[in-house]
């Protein structure tokens, strides 16, 4: 089987997530990075690509040039999919142009700058025969797959409460605003309607829906710009109502001093509950009031097929963030290989967040911002964009 040919937009020298994507993409030997437009500045793009051993003629000056030129190359040479790892405001134009040129797209989150863009992208995908994936990384953990499986088979009973938290401390002070990563995230022209909710709240919302199998139907939100002078939120709390009537709490913060990528999920059913933390990703707790608490460990005992295929090392050799990311690539490349030949890939097993999750994620961000600007307590979750209310 040949490697799947990948192009990258963003991820040049000094960037954060592009390098993580490259490690994840290469982990299973399925992917070859063949080209890129790694920076908005052409010399930096070239230098970045050359340092990755990409032929100079395929280190492009812009994503437009890359998509045009690659689409004219022979079919067995041109890239097959593009990964988008730029600041948020560029996700939509790159994804749209790539799909219109016949390339599959794997985009980082949030999917677009606004919900309206996500809805246009959804229509573009429907009109073209291309795959679209979104890197909600945390779905890739084996024990997240196992937790989803336990809930699907009714082990927890009826879900009554979902608590999801994602707290970081890296934007806790004014001094933290100087990095390249902070400056665009805090800029509404590049980040979108929200900083904290758009950056990490959207991951938490996706994880809660993915594992519980429930959808957010209503919300009540309170966003804060803790550090003086910020236009966008750096902290927020959202109360949730879910599609089975359960209640939830979503907490996201970038000003929680000392917190790392402290993502935690607790789901309570009327029979049992689960608890998982990214800081200990190879442990899942299964609890009840009757039986002793059970510690489920990655690779120990029999797991569901989706969890099993997400594990690479024997139990006790820790797997983490990079492997979770690689699992998204593994599934997406399986989908690409099976494209046009659906029998060969079970999309439920090789699942990748897609355009539905993209639209819901953008709706989540805008619904939260709107609700936070309002004095009304509960707001029905809508997939229709509306003008964001002002204070
Ligand atoms: N899935 C995750 O867990 C995760 C984690 C971090 C970031 N992200 C997302 O990844 C994206 C990038 O975040 P980051 O922290 O790596 O940002 P970054 O600022 O470190 O990197 C952005 C890169 O995009 C490049 N770029 C900007 N404009 C460009 C253009 N016109 N053409 C080509 N390249 C261009 C920059 O030069 C830089 O290399 C964001 O959308 C962010 O939300 C996702």
């Amino acid at each position: 089987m040949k490697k799947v040919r990948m192009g990258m937009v963003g991820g040049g020298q000094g960037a954060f997530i592009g390098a993580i994507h490259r490690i994840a993409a290469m982990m299973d030997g399925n992917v070859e990075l063949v080209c890129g437009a790694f920076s908005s500045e052409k010399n930096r793009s070239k230098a970045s690509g050359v340092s990755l051993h990409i032929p100079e003629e395929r280190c492009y000056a812009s994503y437009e040039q890359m998509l045009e030129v690659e689409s004219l190359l022979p079919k067995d040479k041109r890239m097959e999919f593009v990964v988008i790892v730029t600041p948020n405001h560029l996700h939509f134009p790159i994804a749209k142009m790539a799909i219109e040129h016949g390339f599959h797209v794997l985009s980082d989150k949030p999917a677009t700058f606004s919900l309206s863009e996500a809805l246009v992208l959804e229509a573009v995908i429907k009109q073209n025969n291309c795959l679209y994936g979104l890197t909600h990384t945390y779905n890739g953990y084996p024990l997240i797959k196992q937790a989803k499986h336990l809930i699907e088979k009714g082990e927890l009973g009826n879900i009554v409460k979902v608590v999801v938290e994602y707290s970081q401390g890296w934007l806790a002070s004014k001094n933290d605003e100087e990095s390249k990563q902070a400056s665009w995230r805090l800029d509404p022209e590049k980040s979108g309607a929200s900083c904290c909710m758009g950056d990490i709240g959207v991951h938490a919302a996706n994880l809660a829906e993915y594992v519980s199998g429930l959808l957010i139907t209503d919300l009540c939100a309170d966003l804060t710009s803790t550090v003086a002078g910020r236009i966008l939120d750096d902290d927020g709390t959202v109360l949730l109502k879910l599609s089975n009537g359960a209640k939830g709490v979503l907490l996201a913060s970038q000003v929680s001093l000392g917190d790392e990528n402290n993502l935690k999920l607790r789901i309570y059913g009327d029979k049992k509950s689960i608890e998982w933390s990214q800081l200990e990703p190879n442990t899942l707790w299964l609890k009840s009031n009757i039986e002793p608490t059970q510690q489920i460990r990655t690779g120990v005992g029999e797991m569901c097929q989706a969890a099993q295929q997400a594990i690479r090392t024997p139990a006790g050799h820790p797997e983490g963030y990079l492997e979770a990311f690689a699992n998204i690539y593994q599934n997406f490349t399986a989908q690409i290989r099976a494209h046009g030949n659906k029998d060969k890939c079970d999309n439920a097993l090789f699942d990748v967040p897609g355009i539905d999750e993209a639209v819901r994620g953008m709706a989540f961000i805008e619904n939260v911002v709107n609700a936070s600007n309002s004095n009304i307590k509960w707001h029905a979750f809508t997939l229709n964009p509306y003008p964001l209310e002002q204070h």
Side-chain angles (χ1 to χ4, degrees):
M1 227 174 344
K2 284 191 174 160
K3 294 194 182 209
V4 181
R5 295 178 301 279
M6 173 173 102
M8 178 171 267
V9 185
Q13 289 165 343
F16 163 42
I17 206 68
I20 303 278
H21 275 260
R22 289 192 292 269
I23 295 168
M26 306 306 151
M27 194 174 283
D28 297 295
N30 284 322
V31 174
E32 184 186 5
L33 180 64
V34 294
C35 64
F38 298 99
S39 164
S40 55
E41 204 276 301
K42 71 175 182 192
N43 292 331
R44 185 184 281 257
S45 176
K46 191 145 282 186
S48 301
V50 167
S51 75
L52 295 166
H53 309 288
I54 293 170
E56 234 178 270
E57 70 276 11
R58 290 180 90 178
C59 303
Y60 296 100
S62 69
Y63 74 83
E64 291 94 334
Q65 186 195 33
M66 172 168 123
L67 296 171
E68 295 286 357
V69 174
E70 287 287 320
S71 68
L72 300 174
L73 293 178
K75 221 174 165 203
D76 62 347
K77 190 170 182 221
R78 76 175 79 131
M79 70 169 175
E80 291 164 269
F81 78 105
V82 61
V83 56
I84 303 173
V85 283
T86 61
N88 305 345
H89 66 300
L90 294 164
H91 293 181
F92 170 71
I94 300 167
K96 180 170 179 288
M97 185 172 171
I99 289 165
E100 286 170 346
H101 280 71
F103 298 112
H104 306 301
V105 167
L106 187 61
S107 174
D108 220 316
K109 44 48 60 180
T112 51
F113 183 75
S114 67
L115 175 56
S116 310
E117 285 183 354
L119 292 167
V120 174
L121 189 60
E122 184 179 40
V124 171
I125 291 166
K126 276 191 189 137
Q127 287 155 16
N128 290 275
N129 187 25
C130 290
L131 299 172
Y132 175 86
L134 190 66
T135 45
H136 277 304
T137 321
Y138 309 103
N139 291 6
Y141 281 106
L143 290 184
I144 287 297
K145 307 270 186 208
Q146 182 67 11
K148 181 177 176 58
H149 170 74
L150 292 175
I151 290 172
E152 269 168 9
K153 71 173 186 140
E155 189 91 8
L156 273 62
N158 188 33
I159 305 302
V160 296
K161 179 108 183 167
V162 175
V163 182
V164 64
E165 304 163 49
Y166 197 155
S167 59
Q168 308 173 324
W170 73 292
L171 288 178
S173 79
K174 201 85 197 146
N175 296 337
D176 297 323
E177 292 177 10
E178 277 155 30
S179 73
K180 178 188 178 82
Q181 286 73 26
S183 64
W184 70 256
R185 278 176 172 81
L186 288 163
D187 176 356
E189 301 285 313
K190 293 185 173 156
S191 203
S194 157
C195 173
C196 181
M197 283 296 157
D199 202 30
I200 55 174
V202 71
H203 270 313
N206 176 266
L207 189 69
E209 289 195 340
Y210 178 71
V211 178
S212 71
L214 301 171
L215 297 177
I216 297 166
T217 57
D218 301 83
L219 51 79
C220 162
D222 178 38
L223 301 185
T224 310
S225 305
T226 313
V227 175
R230 287 186 183 166
I231 299 168
L232 297 177
D233 54 296
D234 51 28
D235 181 89
T237 310
V238 188
L239 302 181
L240 308 168
K241 285 186 192 170
L242 299 154
S243 42
N244 71 342
K247 295 285 179 73
V249 184
L250 184 152
L251 184 152
S253 178
Q254 294 169 315
V255 294
S256 296
L257 264 186
D259 275 5
E260 300 166 16
N261 280 283
N262 198 358
L263 173 64
K264 285 185 188 160
L265 178 66
R266 284 177 280 160
I267 301 184
Y268 300 91
D270 55 12
K271 286 192 197 153
K272 288 187 182 171
S273 61
I274 55 126
E275 184 170 338
W276 177 86
S277 165
Q278 171 165 251
L279 300 182
E280 276 290 341
N282 296 301
T283 298
L284 174 70
W285 296 98
L286 186 62
K287 304 185 289 184
S288 79
N289 284 350
I290 299 164
E291 293 166 27
T293 297
Q294 195 184 342
Q295 187 195 44
I296 300 171
R297 294 275 301 157
T298 305
V300 179
E302 204 174 315
M303 304 225 157
C304 69
Q305 212 183 333
Q308 207 61 57
Q309 74 182 20
I311 299 170
R312 289 177 186 74
T313 61
H317 293 314
E319 297 190 56
Y321 182 64
L322 297 173
E323 288 85 353
F325 232 121
N327 289 332
I328 305 228
Y329 273 89
Q330 198 173 42
N331 289 1
F332 196 60
T333 49
Q335 287 189 13
I336 291 176
R337 284 187 167 132
H339 190 59
N341 185 3
K342 289 207 168 72
D343 294 345
K344 284 193 184 158
C345 181
D346 173 354
N347 277 4
L349 190 58
F350 292 89
D351 64 339
V352 178
I355 189 63
D356 292 347
E357 288 80 2
V359 169
R360 285 196 68 77
M362 294 315 300
F364 170 78
I365 296 164
E366 293 195 4
N367 278 272
V368 164
V369 172
N370 182 69
S372 179
N373 287 342
S374 158
N375 288 325
I376 298 165
K377 184 171 173 187
W378 286 106
H379 294 257
F381 187 96
T382 172
L383 295 179
N384 297 322
Y386 43 81
L388 296 174
E389 290 168 22
Q390 299 301 316
H391 277 290

